[in-house]
Amino acid sequence: MRLVILDDYDLASEWAAKYIRNRIIQFKPTADRYFTLGLPTGELKSCPITPLGCYRKLIEYHKNGDLSFKYVKTFNMDEYVGLPRDHPESYHSYMWNNFFKHIDIEPQNTHILDGNTSDLQAECEAFERKITAAGGIELFVGGIGPDGHIAFNEPGSSLVSRTRVKTLAKDTIVANARFFGNDLSKVPTMTLTVGVGTVMDAREVMILITGAHKAFALYKAIEEGVNHMWTVSAFQQHPQTIFVCDEDATLELRVKTVKYFKGLMHVHNQLVEPMLSMKDYMD
Amino acid sequence: MPSNKSVSDAPITQFVNCRILKNHRLQWEDLWVREGKILSPEKLFFDEEGFADHKVDCGNKIIAPGLIDVQINGGYGIDFSQASGDIRRGVAQVAKKILEHGVTSFCPTLVTSPPDIYHKVIPELRVQDGGPEGAGVLGIHLEGPFISEQKRGAHPPKFLRTFKAGGVADLMETYGHLDNVAMVTLAPELANSAAAIRELSGRGIAVSLGHSMADLSQAEEAVQNGAMFITHLFNAMLPFHHRDPGIVGLLTSDRIPPGRMVYYGMIADGIHTHPAALRIAHRAHPAGLVLVTDAVTAMGLPPGQHTLGQQQIDIQGLHAYVAGTTTLSGSIATMDMCVRHFREVSGCTVEAALEAASLHPAQLLDISHRKGTLEYGTDADFVVLDDTLTVRETYIAGQQVWRK
């Protein structure tokens, strides 16, 4: 595992975005060989904000002409069941407004689970097949919840789970109510989510964790054992994982752990410096 | 990259580098148009996996819904209330010229006239869509003849009428037809007006109070019977009085039926209303303000004598008087001038000024599901403006119909 610690949220978002940018450009994606990227969706309302800063930096790199998503395929982690696709709180809307509409990705290369089909199980299985057909995921980016979950794999989820339907915990539904006019009856109660196993199959995993409210989860994820109560801990058994966090997220870690990884920052920074640009490869 | 054409083969145009008026705010968003309607790019992306065929760079300008003028009597030498000559051609000429002012839809207005004029002209002024030939006609605005003698303004006294029984019979006898009519201005204090108001409202025709001596309770009763507009607030009605606010009191009346709103027209030409009065009305009831031009035949013409309805008028600078008097007979300001003037004297936001000339008139006529906004699925009638709110380009159904 690499634990990359930046001073604050903005720097952590930027580091993560630079990493994604360099990975895509180094890969030199073409029409015959797409770069497959797994993406975290909208803020789970119980853990707001995290991927937004990273998306904003990626959009900036695109607008500067340094990064193109033309040969990138994306797979999002989750989506609500039963929420109309154009509802402002759906993850489709989130991805469109915060990412897709600002970049040059082609619509047929984006994949988000459809929570409005009649056969949800079939939709989940089809999603797994699409990932396989695309050649597997090169880099899966995700965040974690305060309870250590990845995507909607809440505590107790199998560490070898695949894409499936999950019922939301009461706390999550109540936390989400404010985005649905405080009307509990309008809040979705189920989601479709990739499984822990699905993310584990990716060739590389990057987890973004910022904020003091995630600190305990980070501690459980990397300093304690692999445990289905803290599903992110599964990545201890993945050969290529990076955790990108800010100072606040490290508050529950041992000083020894933090010092060790901070001491490695000069090595970690070689992954993002020099920053590559599509312009260098365009001619 | 072409779309997969799963819904339509029609080309898609994307207007980029612009600020659009949406949800009451100017937002940095692209505007997408297909087949004359505003398209949802999110639906296009996810459902159709589609892309734009053409991109138009708007150079940082503002895109607002096309302006709607619900009170315009003519212009460029054309008088809608005259039955002489080719009526349809006259309307078409004005419709074409007002594109320059950013007006994409309008209500040709007929002032008080004898029945034979109504019988002849009304069938000729048909509701029709706009396009490259000119702004769309939403319906006729009949201002009179059921108005007050004392508050007739420039309307000829000999053609004023009262209601005999008030119902359909009076209306039909006078007007002949009510098809193509979008609005009627009348004075509610006239006996038997209630039945007429109910009859017109029932037919989906907006009833407006104006050229009237009504007090507030008469006006409120009219609203309860279905009236929902005030024709050029302050002009041709009793002045506001603190113990009987008159029609002006409707702006803050507590006797408006729930779920309904009273709109009011204002001629923001700097002449018909003092800026302070404009500000008072706007601050009292901002959501109901509808900018109108009340433009007369002489709008667009050089100074001198011209004809309006059955009378002569005299143009001096930006003023138009009943010849030989100091009674104003309508304005010669254009709609975009009114928007700029309103913004300047009220200090309101750009969004509010634009909505007073687009969204509010559309709401008044109950057509805001297709006009007056840039919501997905509505008609792609819009204007491109610069930051001084000068109209640079006008579009109807997604097609450019005028550019500066």
Side-chain angles (χ1 to χ4, degrees):
Chain A
M1 166 194 80
R2 290 193 176 104
L3 180 64
V4 176
I5 305 170
L6 285 308
D7 287 344
D8 61 28
Y9 172 75
D10 290 331
L11 290 169
S13 301
E14 193 180 2
W15 198 98
K18 285 183 189 174
Y19 185 77
I20 297 170
R21 164 177 161 168
N22 273 9
R23 288 286 280 106
I24 294 175
I25 297 173
Q26 268 161 359
F27 187 89
K28 298 207 190 80
T30 63
D32 305 308
R33 194 170 151 262
Y34 280 77
F35 186 93
T36 46
L37 188 58
L39 291 176
T41 326
E43 14 260 39
L44 283 185
K45 300 311 178 189
S46 41
C47 31
I49 308 287
T50 306
L52 198 55
C54 182
Y55 284 135
R56 287 202 177 131
K57 289 308 279 186
L58 289 171
I59 292 167
E60 190 190 300
Y61 300 151
H62 168 68
K63 290 206 190 297
N64 290 340
D66 294 316
L67 180 59
S68 165
F69 291 86
K70 192 148 186 259
Y71 298 118
V72 173
K73 283 187 179 168
T74 62
F75 289 86
N76 273 82
M77 287 180 146
D78 42 17
E79 174 61 290
Y80 287 116
V81 169
L83 195 60
R85 188 179 298 177
D86 51 11
H87 189 285
E89 297 299 324
S90 82
Y91 290 165
H92 279 81
S93 287
Y94 179 90
M95 289 307 298
W96 167 254
N97 284 308
N98 293 306
F99 198 47
F100 297 150
K101 86 174 173 198
H102 304 280
I103 58 175
D104 62 343
I105 194 160
E106 289 178 17
Q108 65 275 18
N109 292 334
T110 66
H111 303 275
I112 307 181
L113 285 154
D114 180 0
N116 289 301
T117 57
S118 43
D119 189 344
L120 296 170
Q121 188 54 33
E123 169 68 12
C124 293
E125 283 161 19
F127 198 72
E128 290 275 344
R129 283 196 296 274
K130 280 181 202 155
I131 294 176
T132 312
I137 301 212
E138 200 53 44
L139 171 62
F140 217 128
V141 181
I144 67 172
D147 59 0
H149 68 242
I150 175 118
F152 267 111
N153 295 288
E154 311 221 308
S157 296
S158 159
L159 299 180
V160 294
S161 51
R162 310 303 306 186
T163 306
R164 67 215 186 285
V165 184
K166 285 290 276 184
T167 305
L168 294 175
K170 182 92 192 293
D171 297 346
T172 312
I173 296 176
V174 169
N176 285 355
R178 72 183 194 274
F179 299 102
F180 294 90
N182 279 315
D183 182 349
L184 281 177
S185 65
K186 294 209 163 70
V187 185
T189 55
M190 297 200 292
T191 66
L192 300 182
T193 179
V194 294
V196 183
T198 318
V199 184
M200 283 287 286
D201 280 353
R203 283 183 275 289
E204 188 171 3
V205 177
M206 180 163 83
I207 310 280
L208 302 174
I209 310 171
T210 54
H213 56 304
K214 305 281 178 76
F216 193 72
L218 179 59
Y219 149 66
K220 282 289 187 185
I222 66 175
E223 285 187 342
E224 297 276 302
V226 173
N227 188 322
H228 67 173
M229 284 308 189
W230 301 90
T231 48
V232 177
S233 62
F235 296 99
Q236 292 178 24
Q237 299 199 297
H238 189 289
Q240 196 75 358
T241 302
I242 307 186
F243 286 85
V244 180
C245 54
D246 63 358
E247 284 279 348
D248 284 348
T250 64
L251 289 174
E252 295 284 349
L253 298 179
R254 286 221 168 99
V255 175
K256 185 166 95 171
T257 310
V258 175
K259 283 194 169 196
Y260 172 68
F261 284 104
K262 277 196 169 172
L264 290 178
M265 270 315 282
H266 64 287
V267 176
H268 295 155
N269 280 333
Q270 284 167 17
L271 297 166
V272 294
E273 280 143 27
M275 269 220 291
L276 303 174
S277 168
M278 289 270 169
K279 289 177 191 157
D280 304 328
Y281 297 95
M282 281 318 234
D283 320 312
Chain B
M1 165 68 73
S3 74
N4 66 2
K5 314 285 188 199
S6 62
V7 167
S8 163
D9 270 337
I12 296 168
T13 311
Q14 181 186 2
F15 294 83
V16 302
N17 213 1
C18 49
R19 287 159 286 156
I20 74 175
L21 177 55
K22 201 146 174 229
N23 294 331
H24 315 293
R25 280 175 28 235
L26 279 182
Q27 316 187 19
W28 280 101
E29 288 277 350
D30 297 342
L31 187 75
W32 296 65
V33 178
R34 177 169 65 186
E35 288 180 297
K37 305 257 187 219
I38 312 275
L39 183 64
S40 162
E42 192 181 333
K43 267 182 89 85
L44 178 68
F45 187 88
F46 289 125
D47 293 350
E48 296 179 54
E49 296 183 347
F51 251 74
D53 295 292
H54 317 286
K55 285 194 191 187
V56 175
D57 188 331
C58 296
N60 282 345
K61 295 200 200 50
I62 294 170
I63 296 187
L67 308 183
I68 300 175
D69 193 353
V70 302
Q71 188 171 5
I72 166 172
N73 308 286
Y76 301 94
I78 308 291
D79 178 356
F80 298 145
S81 305
Q82 285 283 77
S84 61
D86 188 342
I87 295 160
R88 278 193 231 164
R89 206 168 60 141
V91 173
Q93 271 177 263
V94 175
K96 174 101 181 150
K97 292 299 271 180
I98 59 181
L99 294 176
E100 296 171 28
H101 312 148
V103 177
T104 53
S105 305
F106 69 111
C107 294
T109 305
L110 298 184
V111 297
T112 296
S113 302
D116 56 282
I117 297 283
Y118 290 124
H119 288 236
K120 188 164 171 208
V121 175
I122 290 178
E124 295 290 316
L125 294 180
R126 305 236 178 97
V127 171
Q128 62 185 53
D129 289 335
E133 334 73 49
V137 174
L138 296 172
I140 307 170
H141 176 174
L142 297 172
E143 194 189 6
F146 300 101
I147 55 175
S148 151
E149 217 215 312
Q150 290 118 302
K151 289 294 179 187
R152 69 180 185 277
H155 293 229
K158 60 182 192 259
F159 299 125
L160 301 179
R161 286 172 78 98
T162 56
F163 296 109
K164 297 190 197 94
V168 189
D170 277 309
L171 298 166
M172 287 318 214
E173 197 192 315
T174 305
Y175 297 130
H177 302 79
L178 286 173
D179 310 324
N180 299 322
V181 174
M183 194 181 321
V184 172
T185 293
L186 49 76
E189 73 277 15
L190 295 180
N192 300 319
S193 70
I197 295 172
R198 281 195 294 269
E199 174 67 34
L200 292 165
S201 307
R203 288 177 182 236
I205 295 174
V207 176
S208 184
L209 308 180
H211 288 279
S212 160
M213 295 281 286
D215 60 27
L216 182 55
S217 55
Q218 286 167 324
E220 282 167 341
E221 199 191 314
V223 170
Q224 272 145 21
N225 283 321
M228 26 94 82
F229 193 48
I230 303 173
T231 299
H232 44 56
L233 185 77
F234 295 125
N235 300 107
M237 56 186 64
L238 290 175
F240 174 83
H241 184 281
H242 53 287
R243 274 192 298 279
D244 189 354
I247 292 176
V248 180
L250 284 177
L251 265 57
T252 48
S253 164
D254 57 359
R255 290 182 58 212
I256 310 292
R260 285 187 43 208
M261 182 149 83
V262 173
Y263 294 88
Y264 56 100
M266 295 215 72
I267 307 172
D269 63 348
I271 295 163
H272 279 72
T273 321
H274 192 286
L278 180 56
R279 284 190 289 269
I280 286 178
H282 169 59
R283 288 179 204 174
H285 182 30
L289 198 152
V290 172
L291 292 175
V292 301
T293 58
D294 199 10
V296 298
T297 312
M299 184 266 289
L301 295 182
Q305 285 237 337
H306 306 273
T307 317
L308 170 64
Q310 310 292 317
Q311 290 197 318
Q312 294 288 105
I313 54 174
D314 191 7
I315 309 293
Q316 293 167 27
L318 263 186
H319 291 71
Y321 297 106
V322 176
T325 76
T326 53
T327 305
L328 292 168
S329 92
S331 87
I332 49 177
T334 62
M335 192 51 132
D336 56 317
M337 278 184 210
C338 291
V339 170
R340 287 190 293 273
H341 177 83
F342 170 56
R343 168 144 180 271
E344 201 187 304
V345 304
S346 70
C348 69
T349 59
V350 166
E351 293 90 329
L354 292 168
E355 285 190 339
S358 56
L359 176 64
H360 295 177
Q363 288 170 331
L364 158 67
L365 295 177
D366 201 20
I367 53 173
S368 57
H369 54 281
R370 55 184 181 92
K371 300 266 188 223
T373 77
L374 295 176
E375 292 297 327
Y376 304 138
T378 62
D379 295 350
D381 296 349
F382 55 92
V383 283
V384 178
L385 308 133
D386 60 30
D387 282 304
T388 64
L389 297 188
T390 302
V391 179
R392 303 294 278 264
E393 293 164 58
T394 306
Y395 286 79
I396 293 185
Q399 205 186 347
Q400 190 183 84
V401 293
W402 181 79
R403 78 178 288 125
K404 203 169 169 70

